[in-house]
Amino acid sequence: MPWIKEIFRKCLIPIILLFITAFNWVDEDFTQHIAAKLANYRRLFPQEKAYLHLDKPYYVTGDTLWFKSYLVEGALHMPDSASQMLYVDLIEQRTGRNVALRRVQLLGGIGNGEIVLADSIQQGAYTIRAYTNWMRNFSDEQFFQKDIYLFDPESVAPPVSSNKLDLKFFPEGGQMVAGINTRIAFKAVNESGLGQDVRGFVLNKANDTVASFKSAHLGMGRFQFEPQSGELYTAYLHGKNGKALRYDFPKMMESGFTMIVDNLSNAQKMRVLAYCKIPGKQESLVHIVGHSKGIVAFVAKGKITSKGLMMSLPTTELPDGITHLTLFNDENKPVCERLVFVNHNRSLQVKITPSKTAYKPREKASVEIAVLDSAGKPVETNLSVSVTDAGQILQQAYDENITSSLLLSSDLKGFIEQPAYYFDPEKSERKIHTDLLMMTQGWSRFRWEDVLADSLPGPQHFVEQGVTLEGEVRKGKKKLTDKIALSMYVSNDSLGTFMTAETNEAGRFAVYNLVFTDSLKIRLQGMNKKGNANLSFILDPFLTPKVTLVKAPFYPITVDAQQLQAYLKRAEQDQEIARKIRESRERLLQEVTIKGKKEVQRDSRKLYGSADASIKVTSQMASAGRSILDILAGRVAGVQVVGSGMNASVYIRGNRGEPLFVLDGMPVDKDMIASLNTFDVESIDVLKGASAAIFGSRGGNGVISILTKRGNENYDYSQDVVPGVLVTKIAGFNAPKEFYAPTYEVTRPQGTNPDYRATVFWAPMLRTDKQGKAKLEYYNSDATTTIDIRADVLSLSGTPGFGKAGYAVQ
């Protein structure tokens, strides 16, 4: 992929050189070894990240979920056009059932679409996922995933409440070694998957209290701890009823390495402290490798003595986001790991300015959006904007946005609660809490075992730029042993073309990068001269990635009861109005009588106007002839057929050579025509002399045009089964619908139908101009409420941004 070279040109070499000159004790051989391994892994397995901006956080049955999709490469977040198809599906959390699938066409890494939440979809918790075919080479934890809730307007399920808590401990660096003082991070999560504030203590095997702890943010915290050799430890939480709840504590190792990282004391540097306890060794040679999203940032070398090892490493040149630190022992094996978060506040500034602070119901609103970089200069960007009624929709506290997704959530395992909190400059303790998050969440992009392997298996899934048609050809029930040529006619409302393909020796075939919307009609058959009827075709179905059912938030939203009732009431009213309008239209249509002359549409397969002679193939003709050429013999004046079957030759009087053969508008060879199933042919047209001139010099000896039943766009072939021929439909890109926003002109009488849209306006495909500005206009609803405006922004260089604003309607 071209962006891989750009990444290494811009980032890899300058950063490595910076740290080679900064530290005299860098081992250049190890540096080159690690850099080469990471570069090779990235070359074979470059990363992609997907993000979806949704119009609102929760929905009702019968509603429409609108989304804008962004696809970027994994390191610098430049909009990625390598994969041009993004899959978006909706998973029911309770059962893992996939209830909707959309194929989104990406242009320059962006696209949009919608999912209609039909009444048949049950209320409850769902997860919306986004991924490319290439991303399926990795864990599904790297897919974009967001929890939403679907309500039924007529019944509201109360949230599930439980007192069960899950408590886990995480020794810093990954190990707890006897006699070495370290830090232990922890995280407490309730049954809904959300952080729970807790207090607790640790007892040794003599039941003495050796440590106490208290959470600081969303169930996370940390405390100092020095384990003693030969001891066993148990953790307890203070329960609500005064009863202590028992939990396992990490196992202690008698020997090993520990690593502590201070990324908070100094904004310019991070301090790394490493300790070890190795029997028979007074000191140990180690390397510390830092990389950001797979690109080497630095490699430092030192010795751990009885007093440990301290390194001070600059952070000013590190990119925004997560940097991964790994401690390698003297055998170059990874023994400790730690994540640190770097934020230089380089995200885009997004300023949203309504033309007024207050509007009237149904008044036209005008909103300007200005996007600036961190230096205050205007930026050309892609952006998506959602406008919602805050009286119905309660925006979730610090919900995911494009900045938190690309810089944080996409590089961590598991569910991240309130991800945007860690980017709020008004939260003075956010850096401390971000560091707690780094200690309690796992890394998901790759494993060192894979990177350092001598050989890597090739990827199983490829980059898609269109729809793929794959399958297998068999002869009867047996597999093929030789290659078979295939003919394929594909058509839909805007496309009709003849294609050829070939199987491999095992009978497998594939056609890549078909670009079409909705569906495509496929007619597939073998081109061998005999045994055609014995061939059978099996198309590979698209199998969505398996769903791992985990204890995800069953009720993943916070909704004010009054707002929820208002939303459900308005939604039910809107759906009832829509039903009445449909019923009214149906009644009106039953009373309408349309008179007029039916227009006969021209067959798109005929480049010519009218043929000199035409044969309508009947069932009797088809059963009497072994081939189409046999049917042609003796039926058209001036056309001579010499021989029969596959060996027949055709001549049109006055010409020395054989005519041009055309199948459903596409020139083909005579063998293809002779191998056609006679029952599949609709008609045969013969063009002589001037009539064939439209085909140029190729039609100099005349033209025989064969029109098949399945090539006719009006022919219903979906239930037709012909031996040796596969006729079916395949799904293509979903054509995105346009969000409907009513227009209320002052000069026109106002409609009688009430308007209480929850999503007042949705603009997924906006762009800022050279001045960094974009403008949108829409009409407010009937509600007297507060309007919430939210925008996700991504520059062409991969810098994200998020903005929000609001105004009153009164």
Side-chain angles (χ1 to χ4, degrees), residues 173-194:
Q175 300 182 67
M176 191 172 69
V177 180
I180 299 180
N181 195 303
T182 187
R183 295 189 298 189
I184 307 293
F186 63 91
K187 185 170 185 177
V189 177
N190 60 29
E191 195 175 53
S192 294
L194 304 178

Side-chain angles (χ1 to χ4, degrees), residues 747-794:
T747 56
R748 297 180 182 177
Q750 299 299 307
T752 57
N753 292 327
D755 176 9
Y756 291 99
R757 287 162 282 154
T759 300
V760 178
F761 193 66
W762 169 247
M765 302 297 282
L766 291 177
R767 291 182 66 93
T768 57
D769 56 22
K770 292 183 179 179
Q771 285 71 45
K773 294 183 178 181
K775 188 176 182 180
L776 60 150
E777 295 180 333
Y778 54 89
Y779 289 84
N780 290 298
S781 67
D782 289 332
T784 54
T785 185
T786 301
I787 295 297
D788 187 273
I789 307 173
R790 298 189 172 224
D792 277 325
V793 176
L794 182 67

Side-chain angles (χ1 to χ4, degrees), residues 250-327:
K251 291 183 179 180
M252 177 185 58
M253 302 178 63
E254 290 295 336
S255 63
F257 293 80
T258 66
M259 180 171 64
I260 298 175
V261 179
D262 176 12
N263 189 39
L264 303 175
S265 301
N266 192 317
Q268 315 294 312
K269 299 177 180 180
M270 73 173 78
R271 188 174 60 165
V272 179
L273 304 173
Y275 301 91
C276 72
K277 181 182 178 183
I278 306 296
K281 284 189 176 183
Q282 296 298 319
E283 59 183 31
S284 182
L285 179 68
V286 295
H287 290 86
I288 296 179
V289 176
H291 71 83
S292 180
K293 307 172 187 70
I295 300 176
V296 175
F298 57 80
V299 179
K301 175 184 175 182
K303 289 182 180 180
I304 300 179
T305 65
S306 58
K307 296 182 179 181
L309 170 67
M310 185 184 76
M311 297 182 183
S312 186
L313 306 174
T315 59
T316 53
E317 296 300 323
L318 295 178
D320 283 8
I322 294 174
T323 294
H324 188 176
L325 303 181
T326 305
L327 179 71

Side-chain angles (χ1 to χ4, degrees), residues 535 677 679-680 710 720-727:
L535 296 180
N677 189 312
F679 288 93
D680 197 31
R710 292 164 187 81
D720 194 3
V721 178
V722 178
V725 177
L726 174 67
V727 180

Side-chain angles (χ1 to χ4, degrees), residues 159-180:
V160 177
S161 60
S162 173
N163 294 324
K164 292 183 179 180
L165 285 177
D166 178 39
L167 177 64
K168 286 186 170 58
F169 294 91
F170 306 89
E172 186 164 10
Q175 300 182 67
M176 191 172 69
V177 180
I180 299 180

Side-chain angles (χ1 to χ4, degrees), residues 52-54 65-69 88 104 112-115 762:
L52 296 182
H53 178 192
L54 308 186
L65 182 157
W66 302 90
F67 64 84
K68 164 71 174 286
S69 56
V88 176
V104 182
N112 68 298
E114 75 289 327
I115 297 176
W762 169 247

Side-chain angles (χ1 to χ4, degrees), residues 332-579:
N332 292 340
K333 293 181 179 180
V335 291
C336 288
E337 292 186 317
R338 172 73 148 86
L339 304 184
V340 295
F341 189 78
V342 177
N343 189 357
H344 300 298
N345 297 315
R346 293 169 180 160
S347 298
L348 299 177
Q349 305 173 47
V350 183
K351 298 181 179 180
I352 304 174
T353 309
S355 62
K356 298 168 64 174
T357 58
Y359 291 88
K360 296 179 180 179
R362 297 202 178 191
E363 184 180 358
K364 188 176 185 179
S366 179
V367 178
E368 183 180 84
I369 300 175
V371 181
L372 308 173
D373 62 17
S374 57
K377 296 180 179 179
V379 183
E380 293 185 65
T381 64
N382 291 303
L383 68 154
S384 48
V385 181
S386 174
V387 182
T388 57
D389 179 350
Q392 299 183 57
I393 300 299
L394 177 64
Q395 295 292 341
Q396 302 303 284
Y398 299 107
D399 202 5
E400 188 85 271
N401 59 53
I402 193 169
T403 301
S404 64
S405 177
L406 296 184
L407 298 183
L408 184 70
S409 305
S410 59
D411 290 321
L412 293 175
K413 281 186 178 180
F415 172 71
I416 310 299
E417 186 178 354
Q418 298 185 9
Y421 165 85
Y422 303 101
F423 297 85
D424 187 350
E426 296 182 359
K427 298 299 180 181
S428 59
E429 296 186 326
R430 73 185 187 283
K431 292 184 178 180
I432 297 174
H433 298 159
T434 305
D435 206 45
L436 292 177
L437 184 68
M438 296 298 102
M439 294 179 67
T440 55
Q441 299 284 149
W443 180 258
S444 63
R445 286 284 150 187
F446 62 80
R447 302 181 307 163
W448 277 114
E449 293 88 340
D450 297 332
V451 175
L452 298 176
D454 293 331
S455 61
L456 294 171
Q460 296 182 352
H461 301 276
F462 52 87
V463 172
E464 285 184 324
Q465 296 181 329
V467 178
T468 301
L469 177 66
E470 289 184 285
E472 182 181 0
V473 181
R474 292 190 177 187
K475 193 170 184 179
K477 296 183 179 180
K478 298 180 180 179
K479 291 190 175 184
L480 297 179
T481 56
D482 297 316
K483 295 181 179 180
I484 294 290
L486 303 175
S487 68
M488 183 187 310
Y489 185 78
V490 297
S491 63
N492 62 9
D493 293 339
S494 59
L495 173 70
T497 187
F498 178 80
M499 306 172 65
T500 60
E502 187 179 59
T503 70
N504 61 18
E505 289 81 358
R508 297 288 305 173
F509 69 92
V511 179
Y512 302 102
N513 301 331
L514 296 171
V515 179
F516 61 95
T517 55
D518 295 328
S519 62
L520 193 66
K521 301 175 184 177
I522 301 289
R523 176 186 180 276
L524 183 66
Q525 73 177 81
M527 294 176 64
N528 57 326
K529 296 183 179 180
K530 58 183 179 179
N532 214 13
N534 293 328
L535 296 180
S536 59
F537 302 88
I538 303 172
L539 294 184
D540 295 344
F542 177 78
L543 301 176
T544 57
K546 292 183 179 180
V547 178
T548 303
L549 292 177
V550 295
K551 291 269 185 178
F554 179 71
Y555 201 80
I557 59 170
T558 302
V559 188
D560 178 79
Q562 187 174 355
Q563 284 178 302
L564 177 59
Q565 290 300 327
Y567 174 49
L568 298 179
K569 179 180 178 181
R570 299 304 188 193
E572 189 173 17
Q573 289 176 346
D574 288 345
Q575 292 180 24
E576 181 62 27
I577 290 171
R579 281 193 292 268

